[in-house]
Amino acid sequence: MLPKEVASSLSTQWPCRDVQIRQLASLLGPHIPSPPTLVVHGISATCKSTILRAVLATVKVPHAIVRSSECITGRHLLTKILWNTLEALSQKEEWENSGKGRCEQVSGLAVLLEECLAARPVDNQGKFVLVLDEIDRQREAPNTLLSALARLGEIIPSLCVVLVLSSTPRPLFLQSAAVPHVSFPPYTRKEAIHIILSLDAPALDGLPDETSSRVYPYFVSTVYDSLAGPTAGSIPDFRSICDRLWPRFVAPVVNGETPPGGNTEWDFSRLLVKNRAIFRHQGESALVHRIVPDETPASAKRAPLAKTAMPSALPSLPYFSTLILTSAYLASHTPQRLDTIFFSKFSSSSLSARNKRAHHRRRLKVLSQAQAEERRAANDDPSTPNKKGKRTKTRITKSTLSSAFATSSATTSAIGGGAGIAGPSTILTARPFPLERLLAIYHAIDPNPPATPLRVAAVADRIYAELATLRRLRLVVPAASHSAMATSSGNTTADAGDKWCVNVSGDWIGELAKGIGVEVGEWLAGGLD
Amino acid sequence: MTHIGSSGLKDILEDVDAGVLTDVLSFVRDTSPQTCDGCIPTALVTVGSNVSSLSRLLSRLNGQLISTEEGSVVVLESGDAPNLKTTLKNIIRAAVTNTDGNDGYQKFLTDRAGPRLLGYDLDLLHDYVQRKGTKKLVLALRDSEAFDPGLLTDLLSLFKSWLDRIPFTVLLGISTSVELFEGRLPRSCVALLQGKHFEVQEAGNCVDRIYETLQTDPDTNLWLGRNVTSTLFENTSDYFQSPEAFSRMVKYAYMSHFFANPLAVLLAKPDSTVIAQNKLCAAVRNLPSFRMFCEDLVEEGSTKQVRDMLEDDEYLIQEMPKYLEANQQRMRNIFQAVRVVHVCLQYTQSAKKANVSDLSVRALSGELSESPIVEEMVATAKTLDSDKLGELLVRLGAIITNPEADTIQEDLRTLLETCSGSGPLRSGYNINSTVTKTTVVQQRIRLSKGQADLSEQAVEYTNIVDRLVALLQVHLTESLINPQDLFLHEAFLFDLRNPLKETFAPRPRFAIERALATPFDYLLSSSDVTMAKVSAKQPATSILYQLYLDSGALVNVHDLWQAFYGVFETEEAGGCDDRVVMSLFYSALSELKAFGVIKNSRKKTDHLAKSAWMGL
């Protein structure tokens, strides 16, 4: 089969990949000697693996495919390669001949593979293609793995190794010259729309076919321009957004509403004007995948009502834990040097103390706003830090409190990066605090302080127990394990001097605290006024 | 308390979970990757603070799936998942041992055609699934929040790529909220999952059910008093506490009654000879409730009986069981009344629901019959229409065994039969049946309220409502007495706050601080004189700790040494050995370090930093 024929037979199923299909078909075709190594690369959802499989199946070359993402270690990968090869050559029964199915080094693999391939019957000694899918994502891979695997094809003449990468390879990354690369670029606008339109519009009851076929192409390109294109959405994303929005988009036609302006029929522009809000609200939410999907589009009309009626349920923590979490949040978000001003009982009543507190609150608010702005500016335009931004920065460093905010390793506590910055939690990062500080702040903010001081002593001990649960829920985490999380997920030891850090966003804690009668803004620097 | 053993508790908890279980089970059965757009089917189960309920749910789910041979549940905890390799190994082992046992797992590893696979190879699981014909393999992460997000992403992406061969369903137990959990995972990980959200009953609800069963059960002989009840419920609302922990506390309370209260022997209905041998009669005569009882008798004029009870052991022994029995019955009546109020409140109260525990606390302190809750309830009950009243009567009939209640129910039924089809009847107290009249008298408008003309049936219905309300009021005032007034309540009412509270809230930090600051609270002092605060007689660590308490956040070690030496110098006038004191100082210092109260300061080389403050 000629590469051209392969391409024409496959492109009905996978359009817009003619060039790549022809390249692969000609490089891997059974009658032409193949290059020892071939690199196929492109970002995810560009149809690399699918096309490769289809081409191999069409040109009828014996091949084995190993998904590297299923291999846990390098050794696992090598064993898998050997196994899948044996299986593809239908020599699985003779596994004892080939190293008892064990393979720990690439050099060993080369020997074993050569034996296997040589053991084939004489009339079947053609080429064999070994596909290593997503090989750049291999876990625990030694540095030399890729270049070593690339050498396999050079050592064994009848073998052709295809490396599928999802990142763009660096030049000469295999340490060998002139390895042919086949690139799968992302689909362009025209291609993406063509692919979506190659399938018909989702059928809807009550929508005439004629209207559907007239409006759908415009709709798809609008969706691409407004949602899929700017977010670099893949084809499946694009299709699911289209499927989800289409019923809402044509809802006026289906419900039999009269078009505005005295016309008798809906056309695309009228529908678009009517449904502008869809692209703004539902469209954006359609981009984000949720584990629990929203209401089905059938109840589209009632959806906003239901949403307002049932706000996202707050988890209910017990009273004591909520208070501890609140104190942890405050400890994380108040500079330690301002503790006496904000939390001391001595300074709680006097006028001058109150003025001082208000002053610091304003200072911190300005500071955090400036920080947020600066960060936003940096996000907008990371390449050219303009002068304005710099000036703000110098102003901050001059401010007396900037030292309190000089954070190096603390992480943002906000849930979604952008929302956290704009949200009411104005101090951007949660800083670690020692446990004793948490206890002290707990006593300061306790809305129902115990009447007898004897009972106070028990509080610290109960706090430890609750803190352990909060830590298990990852609401409060030891600060050290932030950096070395992987090593210490199971262990629960902590020293008295160790630092802790709160791990959730402020809005959430604020609401929880309101439930037990603590106003976070009252204590938080920059929270009120 | 034999009747509420662990089996009874289990029944209650299973009953509470039943709804969620069927939901989750049907979710597991009905979903497949195809119905979830190719994502891993995921059940998110929020358990709130009711942490232990998930494991119950999972074990029952496992049992159901295995019994129908559909599959099984593999439970994974964050402790089992330090890294990917171990996690996979654990999953495979758990899946195989779940159905085949440990030997089965070993056999499974060795008895295979082909080479021995690595323990973490999912090929093993694939093989197992094919052999068993498993249709659903539920992987449950009990505490999903505690998993390392990176590891979770790795694990889920691995499952995703195996999804075409192994029918995974993931079940995530979440203690906070779905949004919070979702927000913490990387987007790429969230994109792998799709499914549904389930909510397990709150712990408070389970606890209420347990408490209600304990106290209102007709076989109960011993009740928990007001103080104990409020302590128990305080714990549930303030701290993370599972229903199991609650029942452990209850058991402890019962135990402390039986072990520490000699009167508990009366509950066992002993022979009169047993009572006579011991000094039980004397003990009973010393009870406050005995004194109160006698005073009441004297007021009634039966002095003879009082004299007999005070002087004649035989008589007392003979009388005691009678009173005990009667008063226990009255306790049962109290809780029956509580249930009546609870049922009525479900029909009358609209906004906030009072639960059994609140009502019980009030009833146990004897305040329920006069409380505003009950008054409001009675007022609202008058305005109920006939449909609701009918339902209420059916519920009440199950609790109250009173001929009057039955006749009321019967009358209502006959009344409704005569006027069926005209909608529910309303009583004369209903707001719709009062009419405001406006009359102009001497150029002033006078508003006067009057009864609208009621139909004959309505009048009759009002009559029935009046009877019911009267019945309720009589019943409640009769049964809702203060249990502290009952003779011998010390025997069947456990109401001591203290052992319970102390036992379940240990105070190690407080104890250590106190021991260090005032060691002679615990140790025997050698001299009789109460000493000045710091003295050389005290252990060295304690001396150093007291000096440490006086210092600021940073302590110069040399200053500390000087002060320490000073303590010994002043006490032992003859001069003391430098070297001995120095060695004491060093051992004390290292002990304090081991306690974690001091550490080396990074700011100044010869200083120590304080890391614990007393009294927090």
Side-chain angles (χ1 to χ4, degrees):
Chain A
M1 205 184 251
L2 286 174
K4 215 172 174 182
E5 292 162 7
V6 175
S8 61
S9 74
L10 289 180
S11 55
T12 47
Q13 208 174 347
W14 292 285
C16 310
R17 282 289 178 239
D18 282 349
V19 183
Q20 284 82 7
I21 293 174
R22 267 150 73 186
Q23 279 173 340
L24 285 175
S26 51
L27 283 170
L28 299 174
H31 308 298
I32 320 144
S34 292
T37 316
L38 178 63
V39 173
V40 174
H41 66 92
I43 62 165
S44 63
T46 47
C47 246
K48 301 179 297 287
S49 313
T50 325
I51 297 275
L52 192 57
R53 274 162 204 257
V55 168
L56 284 172
T58 318
V59 300
K60 297 199 180 67
V61 175
H63 61 274
I65 297 171
V66 178
R67 277 150 105 175
S68 171
S69 59
E70 288 173 14
C71 303
I72 318 301
T73 55
R75 184 182 159 200
H76 194 188
L77 174 74
L78 299 182
T79 318
K80 262 258 160 89
I81 290 175
L82 181 63
W83 263 92
N84 287 9
T85 313
L86 284 175
E87 203 173 343
L89 296 175
S90 49
Q91 294 178 353
K92 219 173 172 187
E93 303 309 313
E94 296 141 48
W95 59 276
E96 289 197 7
N97 298 337
S98 39
K100 305 212 168 197
R102 209 171 289 167
C103 177
E104 292 177 16
Q105 300 291 335
V106 184
S107 52
L109 181 69
V111 175
L112 291 172
L113 276 185
E114 196 163 10
E115 280 173 13
C116 295
L117 291 173
R120 287 181 297 177
V122 187
D123 55 328
N124 202 7
Q125 288 276 11
K127 72 165 90 169
F128 184 81
V129 179
L130 177 64
V131 180
L132 304 176
D133 204 350
E134 286 188 279
I135 191 69
D136 55 337
R137 297 263 177 88
Q138 175 61 43
R139 300 181 184 86
E140 293 184 29
N143 289 336
T144 54
L145 182 76
L146 269 184
S147 32
L149 286 174
R151 292 287 180 288
L152 282 179
E154 291 168 17
I155 297 167
I156 309 163
S158 56
L159 186 71
C160 169
V161 180
V162 182
L163 304 173
V164 184
L165 309 176
S166 52
S167 55
T168 312
R170 287 177 293 106
L172 282 183
F173 75 112
L174 295 175
Q175 319 280 332
S176 70
V179 176
H181 283 49
V182 178
S183 160
F184 281 69
Y187 293 100
T188 60
R189 175 177 190 269
K190 209 174 142 197
E191 285 168 346
I193 293 174
H194 174 74
I195 291 171
I196 297 293
L197 286 181
S198 64
L199 291 179
D200 285 337
L204 278 179
D205 292 341
L207 183 70
D209 282 347
E210 184 257 335
T211 322
S212 163
S213 58
R214 190 158 41 84
V215 177
Y216 195 60
Y218 293 107
F219 169 73
V220 169
S221 51
T222 314
V223 170
Y224 184 88
D225 290 339
S226 60
L227 298 169
T231 54
S234 59
I235 295 292
D237 289 342
F238 186 20
R239 178 164 295 151
S240 82
I241 295 174
C242 284
D243 286 355
R244 253 188 279 179
L245 292 187
W246 175 244
R248 296 187 200 183
F249 189 74
V250 293
V253 182
V254 176
N255 295 342
E257 291 174 33
T258 25
N263 291 44
T264 50
E265 233 181 292
W266 287 93
D267 57 3
F268 175 72
S269 42
R270 291 205 171 78
L271 281 172
L272 184 63
V273 170
K274 173 110 181 151
N275 286 312
R276 240 175 330 191
I278 285 186
F279 286 92
R280 204 176 307 143
H281 302 299
Q282 273 107 346
E284 276 173 22
S285 67
L287 283 176
V288 181
H289 180 91
R290 309 236 91 153
I291 299 180
V292 181
D294 291 337
E295 254 103 309
T296 44
S299 62
K301 278 205 151 179
R302 254 179 283 148
L305 245 175
K307 247 176 206 168
T308 46
M310 214 179 65
S312 67
L314 276 178
S316 56
L317 296 179
Y319 166 80
F320 201 65
S321 321
T322 314
L323 200 52
I324 294 171
L325 190 60
T326 312
S327 2
Y329 174 70
L330 290 179
S332 260
H333 289 84
T334 317
Q336 189 167 5
R337 30 175 314 203
L338 299 182
D339 275 358
T340 11
I341 295 169
F342 280 109
F343 299 113
S344 171
K345 297 264 175 193
F346 294 117
S347 65
S348 63
S349 52
S350 78
L351 185 66
S352 71
R354 234 176 298 149
N355 286 341
K356 228 187 258 174
R357 215 174 305 160
H359 164 78
H360 279 296
R361 238 182 245 149
R362 270 197 298 277
R363 267 315 252 292
L364 288 166
K365 192 178 182 191
V366 169
L367 176 66
S368 55
Q369 273 170 352
Q371 270 192 345
E373 235 163 60
E374 188 190 319
R375 190 176 288 196
R376 216 173 298 138
N379 281 350
D380 286 348
D381 186 78
S383 54
T384 53
N386 54 4
K387 267 189 181 175
K388 208 178 169 190
K390 261 187 185 169
R391 214 181 322 130
T392 2
K393 200 175 180 185
T394 47
R395 191 159 58 82
I396 294 163
T397 30
K398 267 180 197 166
S399 108
T400 46
L401 295 164
S402 64
S403 64
F405 288 95
T407 56
S408 52
S409 63
T411 52
T412 28
S413 63
I415 289 185
I421 291 169
S425 65
T426 40
I427 312 294
L428 303 177
T429 50
R431 268 151 300 115
F433 55 87
L435 212 49
E436 294 288 297
R437 207 173 144 230
L438 169 72
L439 297 182
I441 291 179
Y442 170 85
H443 285 295
I445 67 164
D446 190 359
N448 321 303
T452 49
L454 193 69
R455 278 191 55 206
V456 180
V459 169
D461 294 316
R462 303 219 78 161
I463 284 181
Y464 295 146
E466 297 301 299
L467 204 61
T469 315
L470 289 179
R471 180 197 190 285
R472 219 172 51 75
L473 301 181
R474 299 249 159 170
L475 297 175
V476 179
V477 291
S481 79
H482 252 313
S483 48
M485 190 85 86
T487 54
S488 68
S489 64
N491 103 53
T492 45
T493 56
D495 255 349
D498 270 0
K499 296 204 167 175
W500 294 70
C501 196
V502 75
N503 198 26
V504 275
S505 87
D507 325 352
W508 190 73
I509 292 180
E511 268 180 61
L512 271 185
K514 226 174 258 170
I516 57 160
V518 178
E519 186 65 55
V520 173
E522 192 182 319
W523 305 102
L524 187 64
L528 277 188
D529 62 32
Chain B
M1 306 311 283
T2 46
H3 67 279
I4 188 78
S6 43
S7 64
L9 178 71
K10 213 176 135 203
D11 287 345
I12 295 171
L13 294 176
E14 280 187 1
D15 190 31
V16 170
D17 292 341
V20 187
L21 179 71
T22 42
D23 285 355
V24 173
L25 195 63
S26 66
F27 171 82
V28 169
R29 284 198 178 130
D30 297 344
T31 47
S32 65
Q34 285 76 39
T35 63
C36 291
D37 300 340
C39 301
I40 307 176
T42 312
L44 300 165
V45 184
T46 45
V47 292
S49 53
N50 191 355
V51 185
S52 73
S53 65
L54 192 59
S55 48
R56 282 197 309 273
L57 185 75
L58 290 177
S59 68
R60 289 177 70 202
L61 188 66
N62 186 24
Q64 295 247 11
L65 285 178
I66 285 182
S67 67
T68 55
E69 294 192 344
E70 282 172 284
S72 59
V73 180
V74 179
V75 183
L76 201 65
E77 284 183 51
S78 53
D80 300 336
N83 55 45
L84 190 60
K85 251 195 259 180
T86 323
T87 313
L88 288 173
K89 217 182 262 181
N90 282 334
I91 290 174
I92 294 167
R93 181 184 298 152
V96 180
T97 48
N98 188 9
T99 52
D100 298 354
N102 211 357
D103 296 342
Y105 175 67
Q106 294 302 335
K107 238 164 118 190
F108 180 73
L109 280 187
T110 46
D111 283 9
R112 320 169 21 100
R116 195 186 160 105
L117 291 182
L118 298 163
Y120 47 80
D121 196 337
L122 279 179
D123 267 331
L124 280 173
L125 199 60
H126 180 212
D127 209 27
Y128 166 79
V129 165
Q130 276 187 329
R131 266 196 220 178
K132 286 270 165 191
T134 308
K135 290 194 220 69
K136 300 286 166 195
L137 189 70
V138 180
L139 184 85
L141 309 185
R142 255 185 53 186
D143 40 356
S144 331
E145 279 109 336
F147 279 81
D148 178 49
L151 176 72
L152 208 55
T153 313
D154 268 2
L155 201 62
L156 290 176
S157 63
L158 200 63
F159 287 166
K160 172 80 193 282
S161 83
W162 277 91
L163 204 57
D164 49 347
R165 283 153 286 171
I166 306 176
F168 281 117
T169 300
V170 176
L171 197 150
L172 302 168
I174 295 172
S175 310
T176 51
S177 75
V178 176
E179 285 85 15
L180 206 60
F181 175 71
E182 217 176 305
R184 230 177 263 167
L185 289 179
R187 279 276 157 76
S188 61
C189 185
V190 172
L192 298 174
L193 304 172
Q194 196 178 59
K196 226 170 143 185
H197 177 207
F198 302 93
E199 258 176 276
V200 170
Q201 290 270 358
E202 272 299 300
N205 205 333
C206 297
V207 166
D208 264 357
R209 293 277 290 272
I210 295 172
Y211 182 80
E212 190 183 339
T213 321
L214 278 176
Q215 297 276 63
T216 61
D217 195 271
D219 298 331
T220 314
N221 291 324
L222 171 65
W223 287 268
L224 301 173
R226 182 180 61 120
N227 290 333
V228 174
T229 306
S230 53
T231 309
L232 285 172
F233 281 98
E234 217 171 83
N235 254 326
T236 331
S237 68
D238 283 5
Y239 307 104
F240 285 109
Q241 199 190 32
S242 62
E244 280 86 355
F246 177 81
S247 62
R248 275 199 294 275
M249 278 180 87
V250 172
K251 273 182 196 155
Y252 186 85
Y254 285 144
M255 295 298 259
S256 38
H257 180 75
F258 283 119
F259 281 104
N261 191 343
L263 291 172
V265 76
L266 288 173
L267 291 180
K269 300 195 178 66
D271 286 347
S272 50
T273 49
V274 179
I275 304 180
Q277 279 171 6
N278 301 311
K279 291 181 179 167
L280 198 67
C281 288
V284 169
R285 286 194 189 109
N286 279 315
L287 290 179
S289 70
F290 179 77
R291 167 194 279 246
M292 225 162 18
F293 180 63
C294 287
E295 279 168 2
D296 286 352
L297 283 179
V298 168
E299 268 175 36
E300 283 170 26
S302 40
T303 42
K304 165 87 171 60
Q305 201 185 349
V306 175
R307 179 162 296 276
D308 283 348
M309 286 182 98
L310 281 171
E311 290 174 351
D312 190 356
D313 276 4
E314 293 269 313
Y315 180 74
L316 186 61
I317 289 167
Q318 189 195 331
E319 290 291 295
M320 257 190 317
K322 271 197 268 172
Y323 283 109
L324 188 70
E325 194 69 28
N327 286 341
Q328 281 180 334
Q329 190 52 47
R330 293 170 90 174
M331 282 302 290
R332 280 179 206 125
N333 291 344
I334 291 181
F335 280 102
Q336 196 193 46
V338 167
R339 276 176 69 193
V340 167
V341 172
H342 186 63
V343 167
C344 290
L345 281 178
Q346 283 174 349
Y347 288 92
T348 59
Q349 213 175 27
S350 50
K352 80 172 174 49
K353 293 259 184 288
N355 44 24
V356 176
S357 57
D358 291 344
L359 296 174
S360 300
V361 171
R362 281 168 188 269
L364 286 167
S365 50
E367 292 163 358
L368 187 60
S369 58
E370 281 108 42
S371 69
I373 295 183
V374 170
E375 279 165 22
E376 211 173 279
M377 179 195 91
V378 169
T380 333
K382 284 181 180 173
T383 61
L384 284 180
D385 60 22
S386 59
D387 286 355
K388 275 191 169 178
L389 196 78
E391 287 173 35
L392 177 60
L393 274 172
V394 172
R395 292 281 303 273
L396 284 182
I399 306 171
I400 307 179
T401 46
N402 190 329
E404 175 71 9
D406 294 339
T407 49
I408 291 178
Q409 203 173 342
E410 192 61 38
D411 287 351
L412 181 68
R413 196 176 302 136
T414 47
L415 175 65
L416 286 178
E417 270 167 16
T418 56
C419 58
S420 56
S422 58
L425 290 170
R426 294 177 195 286
S427 72
Y429 302 105
N430 197 298
I431 193 135
N432 293 345
S433 45
T434 45
V435 178
T436 316
K437 283 183 191 159
T438 337
T439 38
V440 182
V441 181
Q442 294 170 353
Q443 295 184 331
R444 282 189 194 165
I445 295 174
R446 176 180 291 172
L447 294 175
S448 61
K449 278 190 184 171
Q451 289 283 325
D453 294 334
L454 291 173
S455 64
E456 204 174 305
Q457 284 100 356
V459 172
E460 210 167 312
Y461 177 67
T462 313
N463 197 4
I464 289 179
V465 170
D466 282 340
R467 274 162 63 197
L468 176 72
V469 167
L471 174 75
L472 268 182
Q473 273 168 335
V474 169
H475 180 78
L476 292 184
T477 33
E478 256 179 21
S479 13
L480 288 174
I481 42 175
N482 189 351
Q484 311 281 351
D485 296 341
L486 294 174
F487 174 45
L488 282 178
H489 73 256
E490 288 89 345
F492 56 79
L493 188 68
F494 177 72
D495 204 12
L496 296 174
R497 203 188 281 258
N498 227 359
L500 205 62
K501 218 168 178 176
E502 292 283 301
T503 316
F504 288 91
R507 307 192 289 179
R509 177 168 172 165
F510 170 72
I512 290 175
E513 278 175 358
R514 183 169 159 192
L516 285 175
T518 51
F520 291 133
D521 284 4
Y522 290 89
L523 299 173
L524 218 54
S525 173
S526 51
S527 64
D528 302 332
V529 242
T530 46
M531 278 175 296
K533 277 194 78 181
V534 186
S535 87
K537 298 274 189 326
Q538 291 171 341
T541 317
S542 164
I543 298 170
L544 194 65
Y545 184 72
Q546 290 172 64
L547 295 173
Y548 157 91
L549 285 181
D550 294 337
S551 66
L554 279 179
V555 200
N556 188 329
V557 185
H558 187 256
D559 290 351
L560 206 58
W561 156 246
Q562 287 289 319
F564 188 79
Y565 187 72
V567 171
F568 284 86
E569 208 172 30
T570 48
E571 300 250 335
E572 278 155 55
C576 50
D577 189 355
D578 258 21
R579 302 182 66 85
V580 173
V581 178
M582 181 70 100
S583 70
L584 282 176
F585 179 72
Y586 273 118
S587 78
L589 203 58
S590 58
E591 264 176 43
L592 284 189
K593 221 175 230 175
F595 277 130
V597 292
I598 50 170
K599 58 181 182 185
N600 288 332
S601 166
R602 260 182 246 151
K603 285 182 195 153
K604 291 183 181 174
T605 43
D606 52 350
H607 281 60
L608 291 171
K610 226 170 160 175
S611 60
W613 276 259
M614 191 167 157
L616 274 181

